[in-house]
C-alpha cells in the first residue's frame, strides 16, 4: 500500500504546507475544518491581473474606473475569486472584470460591477468562469 504525504507544517508549525507535485495524490473525501480559514486578500487602486495567490480583490474606486483580469480558466479549475467595490464608487467608476485570452465569463467577454459596494463571486470550471453570486446592497 502506497503512503502519500498529503500535507506538512512549516518550520514554525503554524502553517500547513502542500508538498511538491511529485508528493501529491488525489482524494475523494471531505475536509472538515473546525476553525477559521485565512485567505489572501488584496487591495488595489488601479488595473490589475489576478495572480495565483489572490482570493479576494478589494477595489478602491474613489480615484477612477479600473479593470481586473481573471487568470486563465485552463489552469484554475475549481478556483473561486471574489471581487468587491471597497469604497462604494462603482456607480461612477465601474469595475470591469475581463477574461483571459478567449475564456468566457458566464458566456460573456467581461463582467461589470456598477453598483456602490457591490461584489461578485466567480468559480472556474477549467474552461470558463461562472458567476456564482453577485451582491448589491
Amino acid at each position: 500500500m502506497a503512503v502519500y504525504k498529503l500535507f506538512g507544517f512549516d518550520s514554525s508549525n503554524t502553517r500547513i504546507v502542500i508538498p511538491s507535485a511529485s508528493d501529491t495524490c488525489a482524494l475523494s473525501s471531505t475536509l472538515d475544518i473546525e476553525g477559521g480559514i485565512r485567505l489572501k486578500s488584496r487591495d488595489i487602486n488601479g488595473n490589475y491581473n489576478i495572480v495565483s495567490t489572490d482570493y479576494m480583490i478589494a477595489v478602491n474606486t474613489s480615484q477612477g474606473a479600473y479593470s481586473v483580469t481573471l487568470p486563465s480558466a485552463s489552469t484554475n479549475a475549481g478556483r473561486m475569486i471574489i471581487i468587491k467595490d471597497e469604497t462604494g464608487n462603482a456607480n461612477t467608476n465601474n469595475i470591469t472584470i475581463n477574461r483571459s485570452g478567449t475564456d468566457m465569463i458566464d458566456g460573456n467577454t467581461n463582467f461589470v460591477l456598477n453598483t456602490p459596494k457591490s461584489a461578485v463571486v466567480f468559480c472556474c470550471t477549467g474552461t470558463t468562469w461562472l458567476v456564482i453570486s453577485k451582491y448589491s446592497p
Side-chain angles (χ1 to χ4, degrees):
M1 176 174 165
V3 176
Y4 297 97
K5 183 177 180 183
L6 182 58
F7 64 88
F9 293 92
D10 68 358
S11 59
S12 66
N13 283 331
T14 59
R15 292 184 181 191
I16 296 174
V17 292
I18 306 299
S20 67
S22 62
D23 294 333
T24 61
C25 64
L27 297 177
S28 322
S29 190
T30 302
L31 173 64
D32 293 326
I33 299 174
E34 295 182 17
I37 298 175
R38 183 175 171 183
L39 301 167
K40 178 70 175 179
S41 173
R42 183 179 305 273
D43 295 327
I44 64 166
N45 60 353
N47 296 331
Y48 183 70
N49 293 322
I50 294 174
V51 297
S52 63
T53 56
D54 292 332
Y55 175 70
M56 201 282 289
I57 308 298
V59 183
N60 180 336
T61 53
S62 64
Q63 299 299 310
Y66 300 116
S67 65
V68 177
T69 302
L70 293 168
S72 173
S74 65
T75 57
N76 284 281
R79 183 174 179 189
M80 296 184 76
I81 294 174
I82 300 170
I83 300 173
K84 166 80 173 156
D85 173 21
E86 182 177 28
T87 53
N89 300 96
N91 57 323
T92 54
N93 295 325
N94 296 170
I95 302 167
T96 302
I97 296 106
N98 294 311
R99 65 185 180 171
S100 175
T102 59
D103 293 348
M104 300 302 281
I105 303 170
D106 245 349
N108 300 294
T109 58
N110 64 28
F111 185 92
V112 178
L113 288 175
N114 55 11
T115 305
K117 296 289 188 174
S118 57
V120 61
V121 178
F122 295 102
C123 185
C124 184
T125 67
T127 57
T128 190
W129 286 94
L130 300 175
V131 175
I132 301 303
S133 67
K134 181 180 177 190
Y135 168 75
S136 296

